[in-house]
Amino acid sequence: MSKKPSLVKGTRDFGPKVMLRRKHILNTIENVYKKYGFLPIETPAMEQLETLTGKYGDEGDQLLFKILNSGDFASGVNAEMLNPSNKVQLLNEISEKGLRYDLTVPLARFVSMNRNDIAFPFKRYQMQPVWRADRPQKGRYREFWQCDADVLGSDSLMNEADLLNIASEVFDLLGPKISIQINNRKILEAIAEKFNLQQHFKSFVILIDKLDKVDFDSLVPEFGNLGLNDAQMSELKELLVSFSFEEASIQTILSHLQGFEKAQIGCNELLELHGYCTQTGIIDKVSINLSLARGLDYYTGCIIEIKATDVKMGSISGGGRYDDLTGVFGFEGVSGVGISFGIDRIYDVMEELKMFEDNLFSEVKAVFCHFDAAGRKQNYQLANKLRQEGISCEVYPDIKKIAKQFEYSDKKGIPMVLMTGETEINTGTISFKNLQTKEQGSIPILQLAEFLNSSIN
Amino acid sequence: MSKKPSLVKGTRDFGPKVMLRRKHILNTIENVYKKYGFLPIETPAMEQLETLTGKYGDEGDQLLFKILNSGDFASGVNAEMLNPSNKVQLLNEISEKGLRYDLTVPLARFVSMNRNDIAFPFKRYQMQPVWRADRPQKGRYREFWQCDADVLGSDSLMNEADLLNIASEVFDLLGPKISIQINNRKILEAIAEKFNLQQHFKSFVILIDKLDKVDFDSLVPEFGNLGLNDAQMSELKELLVSFSFEEASIQTILSHLQGFEKAQIGCNELLELHGYCTQTGIIDKVSINLSLARGLDYYTGCIIEIKATDVKMGSISGGGRYDDLTGVFGFEGVSGVGISFGIDRIYDVMEELKMFEDNLFSEVKAVFCHFDAAGRKQNYQLANKLRQEGISCEVYPDIKKIAKQFEYSDKKGIPMVLMTGETEINTGTISFKNLQTKEQGSIPILQLAEFLNSSIN
């Protein structure tokens, strides 16, 4: 009768070991967010389809998970709607809800709906799963977590500086060395103006985004197709490199773009940001990269991307400034800037760099073992005393062979086992064995808490 | 163009204030779970429909949220399937995934699929949202959180004792006074045998479950319909009361059920549990209630229900033992026992009892305010120093009227504002004002960290 169960394609279970590591990452990010005055919100997994549709482009609309209406969902469907050309009509008839695709559109909806209760600038963080009906592949899942922090309703570049600082601090705490690349959409637009590419801005940007993976020379034919001559390409090549984040670099960039107002504005923003970053001392981690354009349709000012320096992996965090995020929901003129951490990739980076400490596996200090009911009873008493002192521990609940009990402790990643037998009860002691170091011995039960607090694990 | 956005019916946004309170509840439960050796797992929001269907009864199947297949979901649908009598066929054609309805079936699936990697007894906790297409009403939502802990693969009643202890400790930490009622399915079955109600067991149990809300006498006609005479009803009435959790009560119950083996077994279990609870000292919070039968189709041994004593509200936590939870997925003979906390109801109870401390609203210690860019720059320096010492704070990012900055701090629930102007910069000081107590003054910037750490907030 029973069938072998399976997971939905592209989704994952997280067992205890993975969970404790993921929680370590999430808690670290959350604590840093809190330190900078960000407050948490959560939004529902399900949104109205009309809230989601049209916000992520045609491709995004295809990738939305849609939820079948409850009850007699098909009562309004007629045979004509089954015609493939009437797919949208059929969809509207049977589904009006979808699963959250990111945390940004729900944020915009939340802020629009609660604008009168919110203290602006609104600094919120949100850490929740999102769902996309993408083709699953290595490192790409249909359910994954986003961990975003955004500031809405402030133009100040101090916010950008705070976000860069947050990223720096998060990775200092987690371990992986990072490089932070920044750019400014306004400078990108000035470059396009300078080379008369305003009409081809989108193609231009898609092209320079590729410089992340290939060198400039291999793109020469394509730049040629956009109408650039050799001299122009040579100047463009000088611009599309990584600059150290210092005033001289900004002057160099500006000298290439004299007379373009947007370049002046963008470079002034970089200068102001540079001032803040000098104060916090993270200048050395940051570089300016004019070929960085991620999410171009979206960002309007500063663009941020973060990579791990010691692992070949895409960006592990990114963000930027966007104007008028909430306009689509009728709340105009709210500028925002945000950052997002990619938990899955950060996990993979940390695993590759062997940065998860073993004791992340379990916070349980010890497993109490016993040979009979009398030993178990004594253990239960001792365990609950320890718990009253805040020490995490457990008593093996059944009467089984001691080897079985040790195996349990070992498999759960708890090196310290404690044993109570007749001798121990009679002498007010408890025996211990560290399954890792093989150290063993016996101590008075009155010293147990102290012993466990001072022992490694 | 823009439309007023709305939430999906029966779902909720959680803003910062509510989130911080919910997190307080969730963190408290999680920390206690951890102290007893439970480890976290998480499962995907989406499960195969075949994993979910048939596990929650016909009504439950109706309440599952189903997800439309991606891509050309309707390509296999023909006009005949639109006939209401072919609804199941149509559903199978267009949907193969559903949203998680509880955390118990996903647990059973997880354990069945990972049985070779798991250290048994498997003590796991899981805190995630679940979704039900229920009719929304006060206190009932279509998305809500469950916070479960279960032990799988151990028969020991020490597990039941641990769960009772956990509940006791959680509510000690949170605040609400509770009463814990317990029962045992085996005793319920013995009662049914004694009164020849084995054939009507389900109706009998539905009836006695009502004693939670109405008194015995009002149910006399219905017990009569089940075939009970006056003498039987009179004895039944003596049994279906709340007994203090002591050995004498268990003897009384047994004396009513002499000769019924299941009563002997059930009462022995109560006695053993009583022994553990005596050790942990929670006896006084526990009572035996033979009319408690919640989730009867499910529980096979101990049944647990917890209520707040000072608020009229249904159960705020409950659980029990179930045999063979994983059998339906082909993994036989695994006994389990679990407990679940109802976060939404606990929240309501705590709100009604005014148990949320105000400082739960924000962990941010202070907002830095300023009159101009020079003050802001100085503030940014000071704020980042504080953060390096682990103090959460923020700088108002824009140059605006000081009243506006105070209003922000106040609205965000941060009483302490710090001000830097020309005088402060020249004298190495910072001015402060506590918006709650109206206390104000000025301190050397070198004493700022100490000042904030010692000030209330």
Side-chain angles (χ1 to χ4, degrees):
Chain A
M1 273 301 288
S2 61
K3 283 189 65 173
K4 250 196 160 160
S6 65
L7 282 165
V8 165
K9 199 172 58 170
T11 69
R12 299 162 288 172
D13 285 325
F14 299 119
K17 192 168 180 172
V18 176
M19 271 303 290
L20 291 173
R21 292 170 172 190
R22 286 175 66 89
K23 272 174 182 283
H24 171 59
I25 298 173
L26 290 166
N27 290 343
T28 301
I29 296 170
E30 180 169 21
N31 285 333
V32 177
Y33 280 160
K34 286 199 290 196
K35 217 162 81 174
Y36 284 78
F38 288 82
L39 295 175
I41 74 163
E42 280 183 7
T43 62
M46 295 184 280
E47 294 278 355
Q48 307 283 10
L49 270 183
E50 59 186 22
T51 296
L52 301 174
T53 309
K55 308 302 188 299
Y56 308 105
D58 288 347
E59 202 199 349
D61 285 351
Q62 298 296 319
L63 299 183
L64 292 173
F65 278 111
K66 287 131 192 138
I67 294 164
L68 209 51
N69 293 341
S70 307
D72 292 331
F73 62 89
S75 62
V77 179
N78 56 48
E80 209 177 317
M81 291 182 195
L82 298 179
N83 189 317
S85 62
N86 295 329
K87 189 181 165 185
V88 173
Q89 204 190 342
L90 175 62
L91 194 59
N92 287 340
E93 188 60 38
I94 63 175
S95 171
E96 58 189 24
K97 294 181 285 292
L99 291 182
R100 169 172 75 214
Y101 182 87
D102 70 0
L103 302 180
T104 307
V105 167
L107 167 66
R109 180 194 52 67
F110 176 89
V111 170
S112 299
M113 287 175 68
N114 297 282
R115 62 183 90 167
N116 296 324
D117 301 321
I118 287 173
F120 288 100
F122 184 47
K123 297 169 70 168
R124 87 85 174 80
Y125 70 86
Q126 190 170 357
M127 311 172 94
Q128 292 188 279
V130 301
W131 297 271
R132 297 180 185 180
D134 239 325
R135 189 183 302 273
Q137 57 187 57
K138 190 179 175 325
R140 190 195 284 166
Y141 304 100
R142 291 185 151 193
E143 173 180 74
F144 59 98
W145 278 64
Q146 292 193 332
C147 302
D148 292 11
D150 292 80
V151 186
L152 269 76
S154 165
D155 295 324
S156 170
L157 286 151
M158 184 187 284
N159 301 306
E160 274 85 339
D162 270 354
L163 295 178
L164 294 181
N165 226 16
I166 283 172
S168 169
E169 195 168 336
V170 162
F171 288 107
D172 277 352
L173 290 167
L174 288 178
K177 290 209 185 91
I178 55 159
S179 73
I180 303 175
Q181 300 198 314
I182 58 170
N183 195 3
N184 192 298
R185 162 78 180 248
K186 288 155 191 161
I187 298 175
L188 271 186
E189 287 177 352
I191 294 176
E193 277 181 44
K194 179 184 169 86
F195 297 110
N196 284 312
L197 295 170
Q198 298 100 312
Q199 307 297 323
H200 307 288
F201 188 63
K202 212 167 174 172
S203 315
F204 171 64
V205 158
I206 290 172
L207 208 51
I208 64 171
D209 246 350
K210 291 187 184 169
L211 290 171
D212 191 24
K213 298 208 176 75
V214 301
D215 64 7
F216 187 91
D217 293 340
S218 65
L219 296 179
V220 161
E222 298 182 63
F223 282 117
N225 289 341
L226 286 179
L228 297 195
N229 61 34
D230 286 356
Q232 288 175 316
M233 277 199 252
S234 147
E235 185 168 10
L236 184 61
K237 187 176 172 180
E238 278 178 54
L239 272 172
L240 299 184
V241 294
S242 186
F243 295 91
S244 59
F245 191 31
E246 53 190 64
E247 294 187 17
S249 305
I250 300 170
Q251 292 310 331
T252 303
I253 292 166
L254 202 53
S255 69
H256 281 279
L257 300 166
Q258 282 302 339
F260 295 96
E261 196 195 341
K262 283 178 177 170
Q264 187 66 56
I265 298 173
C267 284
N268 282 347
E269 291 186 5
L270 284 182
L271 270 177
E272 191 180 337
L273 186 56
H274 179 267
Y276 288 121
C277 291
T278 309
Q279 279 192 283
T280 56
I282 60 163
I283 290 287
D284 291 345
K285 289 182 186 169
V286 184
S287 56
I288 304 170
N289 184 343
L290 298 186
S291 76
L292 175 68
R294 47 178 283 138
L296 167 98
D297 284 348
Y298 192 83
Y299 296 120
T300 52
C302 185
I303 304 171
I304 304 166
E305 186 164 90
I306 293 162
K307 290 186 175 180
T309 52
D310 300 332
V311 175
K312 254 195 143 78
M313 178 93 58
S315 80
I316 54 178
S317 179
R321 180 170 287 276
Y322 40 83
D323 290 336
D324 204 28
L325 182 74
T326 55
V328 67
F329 295 119
F331 185 29
E332 312 276 352
V334 181
S335 182
V337 58
I339 196 166
S340 182
F341 288 91
I343 295 310
D344 293 294
R345 284 192 174 172
I346 293 171
Y347 186 100
D348 291 346
V349 165
M350 288 181 67
E351 190 159 56
E352 197 168 328
L353 296 173
K354 301 197 192 327
M355 280 177 170
F356 290 115
E357 302 164 53
D358 271 348
N359 61 16
L360 274 181
F361 185 22
S362 179
E363 297 171 36
V364 184
K365 285 269 186 187
V367 174
F368 285 88
C369 304
H370 37 75
F371 304 93
D372 53 25
R376 181 171 66 176
K377 188 175 173 187
Q378 163 94 338
N379 279 339
Y380 194 64
Q381 194 76 28
L382 295 173
N384 283 303
K385 273 225 183 80
L386 290 181
R387 287 168 184 155
Q388 276 164 22
E389 300 185 37
I391 297 173
S392 175
C393 60
E394 56 181 308
V395 183
Y396 192 85
D398 302 285
I399 312 281
K400 291 205 172 160
K401 282 190 187 147
I402 204 86
K404 191 100 185 161
Q405 301 180 49
F406 282 16
E407 187 192 318
Y408 168 79
S409 192
D410 192 44
K411 206 166 176 183
K412 207 167 165 178
I414 309 167
M416 184 63 73
V417 290
L418 302 168
M419 285 153 292
T420 300
E422 210 182 326
T423 315
E424 284 83 0
I425 293 177
N426 290 335
T427 56
T429 61
I430 192 159
S431 298
F432 68 88
K433 181 170 184 179
N434 185 316
L435 299 176
Q436 242 164 35
T437 64
K438 309 296 177 198
E439 191 195 357
Q440 55 186 336
S442 164
I443 46 160
I445 53 174
L446 291 173
Q447 294 169 18
L448 184 54
E450 197 190 341
F451 171 73
L452 290 177
N453 277 328
S454 64
S455 70
I456 340 155
N457 190 17
Chain B
M1 275 297 289
S2 61
K3 283 189 64 172
K4 251 198 159 152
S6 64
L7 282 165
V8 165
K9 199 171 58 168
T11 69
R12 296 162 289 172
D13 285 326
F14 298 119
K17 191 168 179 171
V18 176
M19 271 303 290
L20 291 172
R21 293 172 170 188
R22 286 176 66 90
K23 272 174 182 281
H24 170 58
I25 298 173
L26 290 166
N27 290 343
T28 301
I29 296 170
E30 180 169 23
N31 286 333
V32 176
Y33 280 160
K34 286 199 289 196
K35 217 162 81 174
Y36 284 78
F38 288 81
L39 295 176
I41 74 163
E42 281 184 5
T43 62
M46 294 185 280
E47 294 278 356
Q48 307 282 12
L49 269 184
E50 60 186 22
T51 297
L52 301 174
T53 309
K55 308 302 189 299
Y56 309 105
D58 288 347
E59 202 200 348
D61 286 350
Q62 297 297 319
L63 300 183
L64 292 173
F65 278 111
K66 287 129 192 141
I67 293 164
L68 209 51
N69 294 342
S70 308
D72 292 330
F73 63 90
S75 62
V77 179
N78 56 47
E80 210 177 314
M81 290 183 196
L82 297 180
N83 189 318
S85 63
N86 295 329
K87 188 182 167 185
V88 173
Q89 204 191 341
L90 175 62
L91 194 60
N92 287 341
E93 188 60 38
I94 63 175
S95 171
E96 57 189 24
K97 294 181 285 292
L99 291 182
R100 170 171 75 216
Y101 181 88
D102 70 1
L103 302 179
T104 308
V105 167
L107 168 65
R109 180 195 51 68
F110 177 89
V111 170
S112 300
M113 287 175 67
N114 297 283
R115 62 184 90 167
N116 296 324
D117 302 321
I118 287 173
F120 287 101
F122 184 48
K123 297 169 72 169
R124 88 85 174 81
Y125 71 85
Q126 190 170 356
M127 312 172 92
Q128 292 188 279
V130 300
W131 297 271
R132 297 180 185 180
D134 239 325
R135 189 183 301 273
Q137 58 187 57
K138 190 177 176 326
R140 190 195 284 166
Y141 304 100
R142 291 184 151 192
E143 174 180 74
F144 59 97
W145 278 64
Q146 292 192 332
C147 302
D148 293 11
D150 292 80
V151 187
L152 268 77
S154 165
D155 295 323
S156 170
L157 286 151
M158 184 187 284
N159 300 306
E160 274 86 340
D162 270 354
L163 296 178
L164 294 182
N165 226 16
I166 284 171
S168 168
E169 195 168 337
V170 162
F171 288 106
D172 276 353
L173 290 168
L174 288 178
K177 291 210 185 89
I178 56 159
S179 74
I180 303 175
Q181 300 198 311
I182 58 171
N183 194 4
N184 192 297
R185 161 78 180 245
K186 288 155 191 162
I187 298 174
L188 272 187
E189 287 177 353
I191 294 175
E193 276 181 43
K194 180 184 168 86
F195 296 110
N196 284 311
L197 294 170
Q198 298 100 312
Q199 308 297 325
H200 307 289
F201 188 63
K202 212 166 176 174
S203 316
F204 170 64
V205 158
I206 290 171
L207 208 51
I208 64 170
D209 246 350
K210 291 186 185 170
L211 290 171
D212 190 24
K213 297 207 177 78
V214 302
D215 64 7
F216 188 90
D217 293 338
S218 67
L219 296 178
V220 161
E222 298 183 61
F223 281 116
N225 289 340
L226 286 179
L228 297 195
N229 61 34
D230 286 356
Q232 288 176 314
M233 276 198 251
S234 148
E235 186 169 9
L236 185 61
K237 188 177 172 180
E238 278 178 54
L239 273 172
L240 299 184
V241 294
S242 187
F243 296 90
S244 60
F245 191 30
E246 53 190 64
E247 293 186 17
S249 305
I250 300 170
Q251 292 309 331
T252 303
I253 292 166
L254 202 52
S255 69
H256 281 280
L257 299 166
Q258 283 300 341
F260 294 97
E261 197 195 341
K262 283 178 176 168
Q264 188 66 56
I265 298 173
C267 284
N268 282 348
E269 291 185 5
L270 285 181
L271 271 177
E272 191 180 338
L273 186 55
H274 179 267
Y276 287 121
C277 291
T278 308
Q279 279 191 281
T280 55
I282 61 163
I283 290 288
D284 290 346
K285 290 182 186 169
V286 184
S287 56
I288 304 170
N289 184 343
L290 297 187
S291 76
L292 175 68
R294 45 177 286 138
L296 167 97
D297 283 347
Y298 193 83
Y299 297 119
T300 52
C302 185
I303 304 171
I304 304 166
E305 187 164 88
I306 294 161
K307 290 186 175 179
T309 52
D310 300 334
V311 175
K312 253 195 142 77
M313 178 94 58
S315 80
I316 54 177
S317 179
R321 180 170 287 275
Y322 40 84
D323 290 335
D324 203 28
L325 182 74
T326 55
V328 67
F329 296 119
F331 185 28
E332 312 275 352
V334 180
S335 182
V337 58
I339 196 166
S340 183
F341 289 90
I343 295 309
D344 293 295
R345 284 191 174 173
I346 293 172
Y347 186 100
D348 290 347
V349 165
M350 289 180 66
E351 190 158 58
E352 198 168 328
L353 296 173
K354 301 196 190 335
M355 280 176 169
F356 290 114
E357 301 164 54
D358 271 347
N359 62 15
L360 275 180
F361 185 23
S362 180
E363 298 172 36
V364 184
K365 285 269 188 187
V367 174
F368 286 87
C369 304
H370 36 74
F371 304 93
D372 52 26
R376 181 171 66 176
K377 188 176 175 188
Q378 163 93 337
N379 280 339
Y380 194 63
Q381 194 77 26
L382 294 174
N384 283 302
K385 274 225 182 81
L386 289 181
R387 287 168 184 155
Q388 275 165 23
E389 300 184 40
I391 297 173
S392 175
C393 60
E394 55 181 308
V395 183
Y396 192 86
D398 302 286
I399 313 281
K400 291 207 172 159
K401 283 193 186 141
I402 204 86
K404 191 101 185 158
Q405 301 179 49
F406 282 16
E407 187 192 318
Y408 168 78
S409 192
D410 192 44
K411 206 166 175 183
K412 206 165 165 179
I414 309 167
M416 185 63 73
V417 290
L418 302 167
M419 287 153 291
T420 300
E422 210 182 326
T423 316
E424 284 83 0
I425 293 178
N426 290 335
T427 56
T429 61
I430 191 158
S431 299
F432 68 88
K433 180 171 183 178
N434 186 316
L435 299 176
Q436 243 165 34
T437 64
K438 308 297 177 198
E439 191 195 356
Q440 54 186 337
S442 165
I443 45 160
I445 54 174
L446 291 173
Q447 293 170 18
L448 183 55
E450 198 190 340
F451 171 73
L452 290 177
N453 276 328
S454 64
S455 69
I456 338 155
N457 192 16

